[in-house]
Amino acid sequence: MVINRSPSRYPRRGGPSCLVIILFVAIAAASGVLFSNVEQVVEVIIPTETPEPTRSAESFAFSAQLYNRDGDTEKAIEAYRKAIVLDPDNPNYYIELISLLTIEGDAVEALNIAEQVSLIAPDDPDVLVSVASAYLQNGERLAEIGEREDALNQYERAIQSAERAIGKNPNLAPAYALQAGALIQQDRDNYQRSNDLIDLAIALDSGSEIVHYYRGVVLETQGYYDRAIESYETARQINPSYLAASLAVAYSYFYTDNRQRAIVTLRDQIEETPNNASLQDALGWMYFLAGQYPEAEATLEKAVKLDQSMVRAHAHLGAAYFKNFNYDFAIPELEIAVRSYEASRTDENPLTDSNSIYYNYLAFAYFRKDPTRCFVAENEDSYTAEELFNIVLDQMGPDGIRGENAKVGLEDCRKARIDAGG
């Protein structure tokens, strides 16, 4: 007989086998070892992060050269700043930084760096050339905002620094070019000396963008616009990032009635350097002079946003708002400009035809917004329209276009007084 036994549903009775007990003890022992050495285990599983090696000044300078080669001037400037922090006694880093800052048009910062390096290497001819460049550009900046006396002082310092550089090394072409540029900016009657210096600079180094740029400045000041344009274009070809050359050639095109080429030149440069206030300001002002006031307003707003300290950009934007009948916006912008011009106005530095127009614009904006502002200032920091018109008449005389406009404004104000019962 066959008996079919099914497996029991219940575990076998009795304790664990010897094998199970041995395995349990082994696991427990291993766990104890593991937890007692947890730090070492973690280090093996997650290795300690190796710190990044500290970069040297030389490596930052090399990076700056690569950035500059690729046209990324902003990153090149930042890299040279880091190199200077790590090696503040190396004048070459300062020289390269000043060069980039002047190319970018940052006159104030270039002068600041120049004054620092002057203390480190006061007799180095290359340092002296960089210092001359910084002084000259700062003088041009001051002249633009009407501070003529301070500008003349900067030109003189540029001349002296360039002369010292030539004394140390008579073969430094940029030194002659900078001296020529400073002399012609200082006084147009210095044209003969400037011509001689720039000819010598060209003979020494015809491949220098600085030499060709200041050759253009000397030629333009004498009225040789076509030849100046050639020099500016050569400077741009040598160094496409040289913004001063782009600005100069654009203005030269504009004032020789090649307006479309001037605007295209600036547009192309802005595509490469969109955050430069001087380029935006120049383009906006050209739109203004061409009668394209909406385009001028939009472009000049960008310029002011990029550089709140640029007085001429405020003046130009105020003028664009005025032409677009936006007097509420025009008044504060024009007030910024007029206050700056008034602060620097002296017998030696009177109003000019180019800045007196903003006095008239501001006065007419006051009148058109509220005729009583002809004779009542809104607050103690404001002007009246009559004050502004009288300043223009006193400074410019009654016969020129500015004086004629001021006389019209005063007549409007006289009628406003009568209407107000004054």
Side-chain angles (χ1 to χ4, degrees):
M1 181 174 69
V2 178
I3 300 173
N4 293 320
R5 297 182 63 183
S6 62
S8 172
R9 293 179 301 168
Y10 303 102
R12 295 177 61 187
R13 294 185 180 182
S17 69
C18 291
L19 178 59
V20 172
I21 293 172
I22 292 169
L23 289 173
F24 179 80
V25 171
I27 293 170
S31 299
V33 172
L34 176 64
F35 286 107
S36 65
N37 296 280
V38 65
E39 292 184 0
Q40 290 87 340
V41 172
V42 169
E43 287 183 359
V44 172
I45 298 174
I46 307 175
T48 303
E49 183 178 354
T50 303
E52 181 183 352
T54 302
R55 289 188 63 181
S56 66
E58 291 85 353
S59 71
F60 279 115
F62 182 69
S63 294
Q65 293 171 9
L66 295 179
Y67 286 134
N68 189 36
R69 182 200 65 186
D70 295 338
D72 196 337
T73 308
E74 290 184 6
K75 287 186 178 178
I77 288 172
E78 185 59 29
Y80 275 124
R81 290 187 191 279
K82 291 178 179 178
I84 288 172
V85 170
L86 292 172
D87 187 2
D89 295 325
N90 189 328
N92 292 326
Y93 301 151
Y94 295 84
I95 291 169
E96 295 297 335
L97 179 56
I98 292 168
S99 175
L100 293 176
L101 289 168
T102 53
I103 285 173
E104 282 284 282
D106 192 343
V108 175
E109 183 60 13
L111 185 59
N112 179 42
I113 302 298
E115 290 173 345
Q116 293 177 39
V117 74
S118 294
L119 300 174
I120 297 169
D123 296 321
D124 185 316
D126 291 321
V127 167
L128 290 168
V129 168
S130 292
V131 171
S133 175
Y135 278 131
L136 177 50
Q137 190 175 75
N138 195 47
E140 293 166 348
R141 179 188 69 84
L142 291 167
E144 284 180 354
I145 63 176
E147 297 181 13
R148 180 65 179 169
E149 288 302 312
D150 290 337
L152 290 173
N153 177 269
Q154 297 291 287
Y155 295 147
E156 185 59 33
R157 291 192 176 193
I159 292 167
Q160 292 172 0
S161 187
E163 284 179 343
R164 288 185 60 204
I166 292 167
K168 301 290 182 182
N169 183 352
N171 295 317
L172 284 173
Y176 295 99
L178 292 165
Q179 191 174 15
L183 282 166
I184 203 74
Q185 300 278 30
Q186 192 178 56
D187 189 339
R188 293 187 178 189
D189 290 339
N190 290 332
Y191 67 89
Q192 188 58 60
R193 176 64 176 149
S194 297
N195 284 333
D196 293 341
L197 287 166
I198 209 69
D199 288 344
L200 180 54
I202 288 286
L204 287 169
D205 187 357
S206 61
S208 167
E209 68 269 29
I210 293 175
V211 169
H212 284 283
Y213 171 71
Y214 281 106
R215 181 173 184 266
V217 171
V218 171
L219 290 168
E220 182 182 353
T221 304
Q222 298 173 74
Y224 301 125
Y225 297 108
D226 291 339
R227 293 173 62 194
I229 287 172
E230 291 177 5
S231 291
Y232 292 142
E233 288 288 18
T234 301
R236 293 180 71 215
Q237 290 169 9
I238 295 170
N239 187 348
S241 299
Y242 200 172
L243 299 187
S246 293
L247 284 167
V249 77
Y251 276 116
S252 295
Y253 282 136
F254 193 87
Y255 290 120
T256 53
D257 292 328
N258 198 343
R259 293 187 171 186
Q260 190 56 39
R261 187 164 185 179
I263 289 172
V264 168
T265 297
L266 287 176
R267 282 176 176 168
D268 289 345
Q269 190 63 58
I270 286 172
E271 284 186 8
E272 298 294 325
T273 319
N275 295 324
N276 185 274
S278 293
L279 291 172
Q280 297 283 1
D281 172 67
L283 179 59
W285 190 234
M286 287 182 189
Y287 282 139
F288 179 92
L289 294 175
Q292 297 173 241
Y293 301 127
E295 292 85 350
E297 183 178 302
T299 307
L300 290 164
E301 284 176 341
K302 295 177 185 176
V304 168
K305 185 176 180 180
L306 287 167
D307 187 353
Q308 291 285 334
S309 67
M310 187 181 291
V311 174
R312 72 173 184 274
H314 286 286
H316 294 162
L317 178 57
Y321 283 141
F322 178 85
K323 287 293 188 178
N324 285 324
F325 309 104
N326 192 345
Y327 305 124
D328 285 332
F329 281 25
I331 287 171
E333 299 296 334
L334 292 167
E335 284 180 334
I336 289 171
V338 168
R339 287 193 192 103
S340 177
Y341 297 137
E342 278 295 283
S344 61
R345 181 168 65 87
T346 63
D347 291 340
E348 294 76 22
N349 184 39
L351 285 189
T352 64
D353 186 72
S354 61
N355 58 25
S356 60
I357 189 174
Y358 306 115
Y359 287 67
N360 278 341
Y361 281 155
L362 179 56
F364 278 116
Y366 283 154
F367 168 75
R368 292 173 186 177
K369 182 181 178 183
D370 179 0
T372 64
R373 293 197 66 177
C374 275
F375 44 88
V376 178
E378 187 173 58
N379 55 60
E380 61 182 17
D381 294 327
S382 298
Y383 304 94
T384 67
E386 288 179 337
E387 286 177 324
L388 295 170
F389 287 135
N390 280 317
I391 289 171
V392 174
L393 273 175
D394 176 67
Q395 293 284 295
M396 306 305 298
D399 298 326
I401 184 66
R402 306 293 181 239
E404 288 289 340
N405 288 337
K407 287 193 293 185
V408 170
L410 284 172
E411 178 61 21
D412 289 339
C413 284
R414 185 187 69 81
K415 294 176 181 177
R417 275 185 178 274
I418 294 173
D419 293 341

